Structure formats: C-alpha cells, structure tokens
Amino acid sequence: MPDGPAYIIVIGAGKVGFYLTRHLLQSGYEVALIEKDPTRASLVAAQLGTGSCLVGDGDEMAFLATSGIERADVVAAVTGDDEDNLVACQLAKRQFHVPKTVARVNNPRNVQLFHQLGVDVAVSATELILGVIETGLASHGDVLEISISGSESSLVRVTVPVGPATGRQMSEIAELAHERVLLLVRDGREMPLDTPLETGDQIVMFTARPVSDFSLEAPSLAAIGVR
Amino acid sequence: MGCGRVGSTLARDLAGEGHAVTIVDISRRAFERLGEGFTGQVVLGSGTDQEVLEQAGASDADCFISVTNGDNRNIMSAQIAREIFSIPRVMTRIYDPIRAKVYREIGLYTYCPTEIGAAIARTFFAAGAEEADRPLRAIAPAGVPAGA
C-alpha cells in the first residue's frame, strides 16, 4: 500500500454501496461514492456527512476520469445490475489500470464469468447466504435481509430465538401466514414447513416489502420473538 | 438479442432469407414488432443470463448480435457469447463512442450508431446528400432514395 490511506471508489449508492462506504470511511479510508441518480446521491451525501458522494455514471469514462480513478487502489462496483458492475470493473482495469476491482454479482452464475472477464473479486450475496444456510453457521436470534434488485421485495432469513414461537407450527402463527415462507432449515437440513419450530431453526421467507420496512415493522418477526 | 426496431428488422430479414434465427428479449410485447409470419424462434428472457442464452441455442450458433437499448447489456452478452459459448462471429452495438473504442480494442466487433450518425451528418454538411448517401447505397439501399 502506498503512503496514506488507500483510495477506494465505490460505484452505486444503493444499500450495499451506502453501508460499504460508511464503513470504509469509519475505517479511515479515502472513499469516493459514485451514484448516477442525483436525488439518491444527495440523500446519501447528507447521511454520510461528507463530500464523498459524486453524481455521475460509473460507466462513463469521461466522468470516471474526473474522480481520480487512475490513483484508486480499489474500485468496487456494487449496483444492482450485473452488466453495469462488469463494465465498470473492466473500464477501471483496462483504461485506468486500477490494481484491484471488486464486483457485486446478482446472478450467482456470473461469478465465474466475471473472473474470466478480468474482474479480480466477484461477490454473490446469494452464494454467501446459501453458504451460511447450508453450513448452519448463523448466530442466534438474528435477522438477515437481502434486497432483490429491481424490485421492492426482499428475502429474509430469521433464526428462531427462545420465545413464543418454539413448539408451534408456522401455520399456527397468524402473523406468519402473510409471509411466503420458502424454507425451514434445521442443522443444515431442509425440514417440512409444518414441523414444530425449535430454537435455532432458520426460516427463509420472501416478502413484498423492501428490506428496511421489513425489519422495522414486520409483525411476523415480533410473533417469532425476534423484535 | 434485443427485439427493438433494429433487432426485429434484422431477425425478420435473416429469417426471410432462410437462416435459422432466434431472437431474445425481456419483453413479450417486443416480439409484436416481428409481425405476422416470422419463421424464427423467440425466447423470452434476459440476454445477459447464461441459461437464457443456452435455451436460445447459443451453443450451436454461428453468429451472435446484441442490439438491446443498453450499452452495458450488449457488452456483457457479447462477451458471454464469445467467452462462454465460443460463438465464432459476435457483434455488438455500443452508443457511447468511448466505450465502443475500449471494446473494439479487446477485439469485439462493435458498431457505434453515434459515430456513424455524426459521420453521415458531417458529410451531408460538407458535401451534400449525394455524398452522404454514397456509403449507405452499398449496404443499406432501402434507407436511401433510389437512382443516381
């Protein structure tokens, strides 16, 4: 690493980009967050409290050149569109010789493709979550949410804590009847959806609400005893 | 890939000449542009999705052309066609001249309507309609007046 903190460019100020940038800033990195929607950019800039949010297209070369990209140590493209993330990383690599490019991959099948096309690190949230579910490494009482790009929907995974839900079937819990429960996982194995719940079970459900709304107000979470 | 004005016109022409054509679009309504009697195959789905391309027969294709209205979608699907499916002839449309230049450099056959449109207008400005039509007469006679 050269003198001073590393310079990181984050492309896409959605939820992933916002929290990533905030975390990187708190860790002392120099960060520029690039967002093409001016309304979203000004909202995010106000929340981050710095001048680190630039309004522009992360795939527009003329704009990238103004962001100091040629001295960036890392470019992380984390929009909800795989094609935009791919092109942003390829331009960063080929035109601006950025040493490390990171892409968020929405369709897990693209992980291999992105590597093949020159992206250094391709991260698929779907794969990560699947990994966590399959290895049963989840902590207790938590809620994990993934927004589904291009929609107001999300995927939510809840770990059942000691509480009101244990010993009951999901169908007996009225608040859960509104949710589309996709999976019940116990010790890494998928269980029938009518199995009485136990502490540590993981419920994966689809909800038509965006992530932030869900955790704040979902009655189904309260019914399980999470909130 | 992409059943817009260009994609649908091209698919209809090539199918009419007897080629086996498959056209992919994410909108079912886009296929209405093909009109009655289209003899090719249509596949509903995203052309940047490898499974959709597989379903469209990309493994056996001789030629792949991406003409959706998104530069990055065209770029990505063209690279999938070339790298994953090893389609021998791949062509893509990129409106942004700078991006077009980058992908030309890595060997994608790229056409940029912005450059072509500007070049024709420049020729018309400098030398008039006859000169501007000259290159078009060879490749797109339907698009220019007959005669001369």
Short mmCIF file of all heavy atoms in Angstrom, two decimals, chain A residues 127-181:
data_model
loop_
_atom_site.label_atom_id
_atom_site.label_comp_id
_atom_site.label_asym_id
_atom_site.label_seq_id
_atom_site.Cartn_x
_atom_site.Cartn_y
_atom_site.Cartn_z
N GLU A 127 -24.90 -16.52 -3.10
CA GLU A 127 -24.00 -17.62 -2.76
C GLU A 127 -23.57 -17.57 -1.30
O GLU A 127 -23.49 -18.59 -0.62
CB GLU A 127 -22.75 -17.57 -3.64
CG GLU A 127 -22.97 -18.19 -4.99
CD GLU A 127 -21.65 -18.48 -5.70
OE1 GLU A 127 -20.62 -17.88 -5.31
OE2 GLU A 127 -21.66 -19.29 -6.64
N LEU A 128 -23.30 -16.35 -0.82
CA LEU A 128 -22.87 -16.22 0.58
C LEU A 128 -23.97 -16.70 1.53
O LEU A 128 -23.72 -17.45 2.46
CB LEU A 128 -22.53 -14.76 0.89
CG LEU A 128 -21.29 -14.19 0.21
CD1 LEU A 128 -21.09 -12.74 0.59
CD2 LEU A 128 -20.06 -15.00 0.59
N ILE A 129 -25.20 -16.26 1.27
CA ILE A 129 -26.31 -16.64 2.14
C ILE A 129 -26.54 -18.14 2.07
O ILE A 129 -26.73 -18.80 3.08
CB ILE A 129 -27.62 -15.92 1.71
CG1 ILE A 129 -27.43 -14.41 1.71
CG2 ILE A 129 -28.77 -16.32 2.62
CD1 ILE A 129 -26.98 -13.83 2.99
N LEU A 130 -26.50 -18.66 0.86
CA LEU A 130 -26.67 -20.11 0.72
C LEU A 130 -25.62 -20.84 1.53
O LEU A 130 -25.90 -21.82 2.22
CB LEU A 130 -26.56 -20.52 -0.76
CG LEU A 130 -27.82 -20.34 -1.58
CD1 LEU A 130 -27.53 -20.64 -3.04
CD2 LEU A 130 -28.93 -21.25 -1.08
N GLY A 131 -24.40 -20.32 1.46
CA GLY A 131 -23.31 -20.94 2.21
C GLY A 131 -23.60 -20.94 3.70
O GLY A 131 -23.40 -21.94 4.38
N VAL A 132 -24.08 -19.80 4.18
CA VAL A 132 -24.38 -19.69 5.61
C VAL A 132 -25.51 -20.66 5.98
O VAL A 132 -25.44 -21.37 6.98
CB VAL A 132 -24.79 -18.25 5.96
CG1 VAL A 132 -25.29 -18.18 7.39
CG2 VAL A 132 -23.60 -17.32 5.79
N ILE A 133 -26.53 -20.71 5.16
CA ILE A 133 -27.65 -21.61 5.45
C ILE A 133 -27.18 -23.06 5.42
O ILE A 133 -27.47 -23.84 6.32
CB ILE A 133 -28.78 -21.39 4.42
CG1 ILE A 133 -29.41 -20.01 4.63
CG2 ILE A 133 -29.85 -22.48 4.56
CD1 ILE A 133 -30.39 -19.61 3.56
N GLU A 134 -26.42 -23.40 4.41
CA GLU A 134 -26.02 -24.78 4.25
C GLU A 134 -25.06 -25.25 5.33
O GLU A 134 -25.06 -26.40 5.73
CB GLU A 134 -25.42 -25.00 2.86
CG GLU A 134 -26.52 -25.08 1.81
CD GLU A 134 -26.00 -24.94 0.39
OE1 GLU A 134 -24.78 -24.76 0.23
OE2 GLU A 134 -26.83 -25.01 -0.53
N THR A 135 -24.22 -24.35 5.82
CA THR A 135 -23.28 -24.79 6.85
C THR A 135 -23.82 -24.54 8.25
O THR A 135 -23.20 -24.92 9.23
CB THR A 135 -21.92 -24.06 6.70
OG1 THR A 135 -22.19 -22.66 6.70
CG2 THR A 135 -21.22 -24.45 5.43
N GLY A 136 -25.01 -23.91 8.33
CA GLY A 136 -25.63 -23.72 9.64
C GLY A 136 -24.81 -22.89 10.60
O GLY A 136 -24.80 -23.13 11.80
N LEU A 137 -24.12 -21.88 10.07
CA LEU A 137 -23.23 -21.09 10.93
C LEU A 137 -23.91 -19.86 11.54
O LEU A 137 -23.26 -19.07 12.18
CB LEU A 137 -22.01 -20.62 10.12
CG LEU A 137 -20.98 -21.69 9.81
CD1 LEU A 137 -19.90 -21.12 8.91
CD2 LEU A 137 -20.37 -22.24 11.09
N ALA A 138 -25.19 -19.73 11.34
CA ALA A 138 -25.86 -18.48 11.73
C ALA A 138 -25.82 -18.28 13.24
O ALA A 138 -25.89 -19.21 14.01
CB ALA A 138 -27.30 -18.52 11.27
N SER A 139 -25.75 -17.03 13.64
CA SER A 139 -25.83 -16.72 15.06
C SER A 139 -27.30 -16.74 15.47
O SER A 139 -28.19 -16.76 14.63
CB SER A 139 -25.23 -15.36 15.34
OG SER A 139 -25.87 -14.41 14.53
N HIS A 140 -27.57 -16.72 16.76
CA HIS A 140 -28.95 -16.87 17.21
C HIS A 140 -29.71 -15.56 17.24
O HIS A 140 -29.16 -14.51 17.45
CB HIS A 140 -28.97 -17.52 18.59
CG HIS A 140 -28.56 -18.95 18.51
ND1 HIS A 140 -29.43 -19.95 18.19
CD2 HIS A 140 -27.34 -19.53 18.63
CE1 HIS A 140 -28.77 -21.10 18.15
NE2 HIS A 140 -27.51 -20.87 18.41
N GLY A 141 -30.99 -15.67 17.06
CA GLY A 141 -31.87 -14.52 17.22
C GLY A 141 -31.67 -13.43 16.19
O GLY A 141 -32.08 -12.31 16.39
N ASP A 142 -31.02 -13.75 15.08
CA ASP A 142 -30.74 -12.66 14.14
C ASP A 142 -31.68 -12.67 12.95
O ASP A 142 -32.45 -13.60 12.72
CB ASP A 142 -29.29 -12.73 13.66
CG ASP A 142 -29.03 -13.95 12.81
OD1 ASP A 142 -29.90 -14.86 12.79
OD2 ASP A 142 -27.99 -14.00 12.16
N VAL A 143 -31.61 -11.58 12.22
CA VAL A 143 -32.40 -11.44 11.01
C VAL A 143 -31.43 -11.01 9.93
O VAL A 143 -30.63 -10.12 10.14
CB VAL A 143 -33.48 -10.34 11.18
CG1 VAL A 143 -34.27 -10.19 9.89
CG2 VAL A 143 -34.39 -10.65 12.34
N LEU A 144 -31.51 -11.65 8.80
CA LEU A 144 -30.64 -11.29 7.71
C LEU A 144 -31.52 -10.99 6.51
O LEU A 144 -32.42 -11.76 6.21
CB LEU A 144 -29.73 -12.47 7.42
CG LEU A 144 -28.52 -12.12 6.63
CD1 LEU A 144 -27.33 -12.15 7.55
CD2 LEU A 144 -28.36 -13.09 5.52
N GLU A 145 -31.26 -9.86 5.86
CA GLU A 145 -32.15 -9.47 4.78
C GLU A 145 -31.35 -9.19 3.52
O GLU A 145 -30.29 -8.61 3.56
CB GLU A 145 -32.90 -8.20 5.18
CG GLU A 145 -33.72 -8.37 6.43
CD GLU A 145 -33.95 -7.05 7.13
OE1 GLU A 145 -32.94 -6.39 7.48
OE2 GLU A 145 -35.10 -6.68 7.32
N ILE A 146 -31.92 -9.60 2.41
CA ILE A 146 -31.29 -9.33 1.12
C ILE A 146 -32.34 -8.65 0.26
O ILE A 146 -33.42 -9.19 0.06
CB ILE A 146 -30.91 -10.63 0.40
CG1 ILE A 146 -30.20 -11.58 1.35
CG2 ILE A 146 -30.07 -10.35 -0.82
CD1 ILE A 146 -30.23 -12.99 0.84
N SER A 147 -32.00 -7.47 -0.26
CA SER A 147 -32.96 -6.85 -1.16
C SER A 147 -32.82 -7.51 -2.52
O SER A 147 -31.74 -7.90 -2.93
CB SER A 147 -32.73 -5.35 -1.25
OG SER A 147 -31.47 -5.10 -1.78
N ILE A 148 -33.93 -7.65 -3.20
CA ILE A 148 -33.93 -8.25 -4.53
C ILE A 148 -33.89 -7.11 -5.52
O ILE A 148 -34.78 -6.27 -5.55
CB ILE A 148 -35.16 -9.15 -4.72
CG1 ILE A 148 -35.10 -10.29 -3.71
CG2 ILE A 148 -35.21 -9.67 -6.15
CD1 ILE A 148 -36.36 -11.10 -3.63
N SER A 149 -32.83 -7.06 -6.32
CA SER A 149 -32.61 -5.88 -7.13
C SER A 149 -33.75 -5.65 -8.11
O SER A 149 -34.38 -6.59 -8.59
CB SER A 149 -31.30 -6.01 -7.89
OG SER A 149 -31.43 -7.02 -8.84
N GLY A 150 -33.98 -4.38 -8.37
CA GLY A 150 -35.01 -4.01 -9.34
C GLY A 150 -36.41 -4.22 -8.83
O GLY A 150 -37.37 -4.21 -9.59
N SER A 151 -36.57 -4.42 -7.51
CA SER A 151 -37.92 -4.61 -7.01
C SER A 151 -37.98 -4.08 -5.58
O SER A 151 -36.97 -3.74 -4.99
CB SER A 151 -38.29 -6.09 -7.00
OG SER A 151 -37.67 -6.73 -5.90
N GLU A 152 -39.18 -4.02 -5.05
CA GLU A 152 -39.37 -3.57 -3.69
C GLU A 152 -39.38 -4.77 -2.74
O GLU A 152 -39.77 -4.66 -1.59
CB GLU A 152 -40.69 -2.81 -3.57
CG GLU A 152 -40.68 -1.46 -4.24
CD GLU A 152 -39.94 -0.41 -3.43
OE1 GLU A 152 -40.53 0.16 -2.52
OE2 GLU A 152 -38.75 -0.20 -3.71
N SER A 153 -39.01 -5.93 -3.23
CA SER A 153 -39.12 -7.14 -2.44
C SER A 153 -37.79 -7.49 -1.78
O SER A 153 -36.74 -6.99 -2.16
CB SER A 153 -39.52 -8.31 -3.32
OG SER A 153 -40.48 -7.92 -4.24
N SER A 154 -37.89 -8.37 -0.78
CA SER A 154 -36.65 -8.85 -0.19
C SER A 154 -36.78 -10.28 0.30
O SER A 154 -37.88 -10.83 0.39
CB SER A 154 -36.19 -7.93 0.94
OG SER A 154 -37.28 -7.44 1.66
N LEU A 155 -35.63 -10.84 0.58
CA LEU A 155 -35.55 -12.18 1.10
C LEU A 155 -35.06 -12.03 2.53
O LEU A 155 -34.11 -11.31 2.79
CB LEU A 155 -34.52 -12.94 0.27
CG LEU A 155 -34.62 -14.44 0.15
CD1 LEU A 155 -35.98 -14.85 -0.39
CD2 LEU A 155 -33.54 -14.94 -0.80
N VAL A 156 -35.73 -12.70 3.46
CA VAL A 156 -35.39 -12.51 4.86
C VAL A 156 -35.11 -13.87 5.48
O VAL A 156 -35.84 -14.83 5.26
CB VAL A 156 -36.56 -11.85 5.61
CG1 VAL A 156 -36.23 -11.68 7.09
CG2 VAL A 156 -36.90 -10.50 4.99
N ARG A 157 -34.04 -13.95 6.23
CA ARG A 157 -33.76 -15.18 6.96
C ARG A 157 -33.78 -14.86 8.45
O ARG A 157 -33.08 -13.96 8.92
CB ARG A 157 -32.40 -15.74 6.59
CG ARG A 157 -32.19 -17.15 7.13
CD ARG A 157 -30.72 -17.47 7.27
NE ARG A 157 -30.13 -16.66 8.31
CZ ARG A 157 -28.83 -16.38 8.38
NH1 ARG A 157 -28.01 -16.79 7.46
NH2 ARG A 157 -28.35 -15.65 9.37
N VAL A 158 -34.60 -15.57 9.20
CA VAL A 158 -34.75 -15.32 10.63
C VAL A 158 -34.30 -16.57 11.37
O VAL A 158 -34.67 -17.68 11.00
CB VAL A 158 -36.23 -15.06 10.98
CG1 VAL A 158 -36.36 -14.70 12.45
CG2 VAL A 158 -36.80 -13.97 10.11
N THR A 159 -33.50 -16.37 12.42
CA THR A 159 -33.16 -17.51 13.27
C THR A 159 -34.08 -17.46 14.49
O THR A 159 -34.19 -16.42 15.15
CB THR A 159 -31.68 -17.42 13.70
OG1 THR A 159 -30.88 -17.32 12.53
CG2 THR A 159 -31.28 -18.67 14.48
N VAL A 160 -34.76 -18.55 14.75
CA VAL A 160 -35.77 -18.56 15.81
C VAL A 160 -35.09 -18.54 17.18
O VAL A 160 -34.27 -19.42 17.49
CB VAL A 160 -36.65 -19.83 15.68
CG1 VAL A 160 -37.67 -19.90 16.82
CG2 VAL A 160 -37.34 -19.86 14.32
N PRO A 161 -35.40 -17.52 18.00
CA PRO A 161 -34.82 -17.46 19.34
C PRO A 161 -35.69 -18.22 20.34
O PRO A 161 -36.79 -18.67 19.99
CB PRO A 161 -34.84 -15.97 19.65
CG PRO A 161 -36.04 -15.46 18.91
CD PRO A 161 -36.26 -16.36 17.72
N VAL A 162 -35.22 -18.37 21.55
CA VAL A 162 -36.07 -18.89 22.62
C VAL A 162 -37.22 -17.90 22.76
O VAL A 162 -36.99 -16.70 22.87
CB VAL A 162 -35.28 -18.94 23.95
CG1 VAL A 162 -36.17 -19.46 25.07
CG2 VAL A 162 -34.05 -19.80 23.79
N GLY A 163 -38.45 -18.38 22.68
CA GLY A 163 -39.54 -17.40 22.72
C GLY A 163 -40.86 -18.00 22.35
O GLY A 163 -41.02 -19.23 22.39
N PRO A 164 -41.79 -17.13 21.95
CA PRO A 164 -43.17 -17.55 21.78
C PRO A 164 -43.39 -18.56 20.65
O PRO A 164 -44.42 -19.24 20.62
CB PRO A 164 -43.89 -16.24 21.45
CG PRO A 164 -42.84 -15.33 20.93
CD PRO A 164 -41.58 -15.71 21.65
N ALA A 165 -42.47 -18.65 19.72
CA ALA A 165 -42.73 -19.48 18.54
C ALA A 165 -42.33 -20.94 18.73
O ALA A 165 -42.82 -21.81 18.00
CB ALA A 165 -41.99 -18.90 17.34
N THR A 166 -41.47 -21.23 19.66
CA THR A 166 -40.95 -22.59 19.75
C THR A 166 -42.06 -23.57 20.13
O THR A 166 -42.94 -23.26 20.93
CB THR A 166 -39.79 -22.69 20.78
OG1 THR A 166 -40.24 -22.12 22.00
CG2 THR A 166 -38.58 -21.94 20.30
N GLY A 167 -42.04 -24.71 19.51
CA GLY A 167 -43.05 -25.74 19.76
C GLY A 167 -44.29 -25.59 18.90
O GLY A 167 -45.16 -26.46 18.89
N ARG A 168 -44.38 -24.50 18.14
CA ARG A 168 -45.57 -24.28 17.32
C ARG A 168 -45.22 -24.45 15.84
O ARG A 168 -44.10 -24.23 15.42
CB ARG A 168 -46.13 -22.87 17.54
CG ARG A 168 -46.56 -22.63 18.98
CD ARG A 168 -46.82 -21.16 19.23
NE ARG A 168 -48.04 -20.67 18.56
CZ ARG A 168 -48.35 -19.37 18.46
NH1 ARG A 168 -47.54 -18.45 18.94
NH2 ARG A 168 -49.47 -19.01 17.87
N GLN A 169 -46.25 -24.84 15.08
CA GLN A 169 -46.06 -24.88 13.62
C GLN A 169 -46.21 -23.46 13.08
O GLN A 169 -46.96 -22.67 13.64
CB GLN A 169 -47.13 -25.75 12.96
CG GLN A 169 -47.01 -27.21 13.30
CD GLN A 169 -48.07 -28.03 12.57
OE1 GLN A 169 -48.80 -27.53 11.73
NE2 GLN A 169 -48.13 -29.31 12.90
N MET A 170 -45.54 -23.17 11.97
CA MET A 170 -45.65 -21.83 11.40
C MET A 170 -47.09 -21.49 11.02
O MET A 170 -47.52 -20.35 11.15
CB MET A 170 -44.73 -21.69 10.20
CG MET A 170 -43.27 -21.57 10.60
SD MET A 170 -42.21 -21.21 9.20
CE MET A 170 -41.94 -22.85 8.58
N SER A 171 -47.85 -22.50 10.59
CA SER A 171 -49.24 -22.24 10.19
C SER A 171 -50.12 -21.83 11.38
O SER A 171 -51.19 -21.27 11.19
CB SER A 171 -49.82 -23.48 9.50
OG SER A 171 -49.76 -24.58 10.38
N GLU A 172 -49.66 -22.13 12.59
CA GLU A 172 -50.44 -21.75 13.78
C GLU A 172 -50.17 -20.30 14.18
O GLU A 172 -50.82 -19.77 15.08
CB GLU A 172 -50.08 -22.66 14.97
CG GLU A 172 -50.42 -24.12 14.75
CD GLU A 172 -49.82 -25.01 15.83
OE1 GLU A 172 -48.98 -24.53 16.63
OE2 GLU A 172 -50.18 -26.19 15.85
N ILE A 173 -49.17 -19.70 13.57
CA ILE A 173 -48.82 -18.32 13.95
C ILE A 173 -49.42 -17.40 12.89
O ILE A 173 -48.95 -17.34 11.76
CB ILE A 173 -47.30 -18.16 14.04
CG1 ILE A 173 -46.73 -19.17 15.05
CG2 ILE A 173 -46.91 -16.73 14.42
CD1 ILE A 173 -45.22 -19.26 15.07
N ALA A 174 -50.46 -16.69 13.29
CA ALA A 174 -51.25 -15.92 12.32
C ALA A 174 -50.39 -14.93 11.53
O ALA A 174 -50.54 -14.79 10.31
CB ALA A 174 -52.37 -15.17 13.05
N GLU A 175 -49.48 -14.26 12.21
CA GLU A 175 -48.67 -13.22 11.55
C GLU A 175 -47.78 -13.81 10.45
O GLU A 175 -47.43 -13.13 9.49
CB GLU A 175 -47.79 -12.48 12.56
CG GLU A 175 -48.55 -11.62 13.53
CD GLU A 175 -49.06 -12.39 14.74
OE1 GLU A 175 -49.07 -13.65 14.70
OE2 GLU A 175 -49.47 -11.77 15.70
N LEU A 176 -47.41 -15.05 10.61
CA LEU A 176 -46.54 -15.68 9.61
C LEU A 176 -47.31 -16.08 8.36
O LEU A 176 -46.73 -16.26 7.30
CB LEU A 176 -45.89 -16.94 10.20
CG LEU A 176 -44.51 -16.79 10.83
CD1 LEU A 176 -43.98 -18.15 11.21
CD2 LEU A 176 -43.54 -16.09 9.88
N ALA A 177 -48.62 -16.22 8.51
CA ALA A 177 -49.44 -16.63 7.37
C ALA A 177 -49.36 -15.62 6.23
O ALA A 177 -49.59 -15.95 5.07
CB ALA A 177 -50.88 -16.83 7.82
N HIS A 178 -49.01 -14.36 6.54
CA HIS A 178 -48.92 -13.33 5.49
C HIS A 178 -47.61 -13.43 4.70
O HIS A 178 -47.48 -12.82 3.66
CB HIS A 178 -48.99 -11.93 6.11
CG HIS A 178 -50.27 -11.67 6.81
ND1 HIS A 178 -51.48 -11.61 6.16
CD2 HIS A 178 -50.53 -11.48 8.13
CE1 HIS A 178 -52.44 -11.39 7.05
NE2 HIS A 178 -51.90 -11.30 8.25
N GLU A 179 -46.66 -14.14 5.23
CA GLU A 179 -45.35 -14.19 4.59
C GLU A 179 -45.27 -15.44 3.71
O GLU A 179 -45.91 -16.45 3.99
CB GLU A 179 -44.24 -14.26 5.63
CG GLU A 179 -44.34 -13.23 6.71
CD GLU A 179 -44.20 -11.80 6.20
OE1 GLU A 179 -43.80 -11.61 5.02
OE2 GLU A 179 -44.51 -10.88 6.96
N ARG A 180 -44.47 -15.33 2.67
CA ARG A 180 -44.26 -16.53 1.86
C ARG A 180 -43.01 -17.23 2.37
O ARG A 180 -41.89 -16.86 2.05
CB ARG A 180 -44.12 -16.15 0.38
CG ARG A 180 -45.48 -16.22 -0.30
CD ARG A 180 -45.43 -15.89 -1.73
NE ARG A 180 -44.48 -16.69 -2.48
CZ ARG A 180 -44.00 -16.32 -3.64
NH1 ARG A 180 -44.35 -15.18 -4.16
NH2 ARG A 180 -43.16 -17.10 -4.29
N VAL A 181 -43.23 -18.23 3.20
CA VAL A 181 -42.10 -18.96 3.76
C VAL A 181 -41.58 -19.95 2.72
O VAL A 181 -42.34 -20.73 2.16
CB VAL A 181 -42.51 -19.68 5.06
CG1 VAL A 181 -41.35 -20.52 5.57
CG2 VAL A 181 -42.94 -18.67 6.11
#
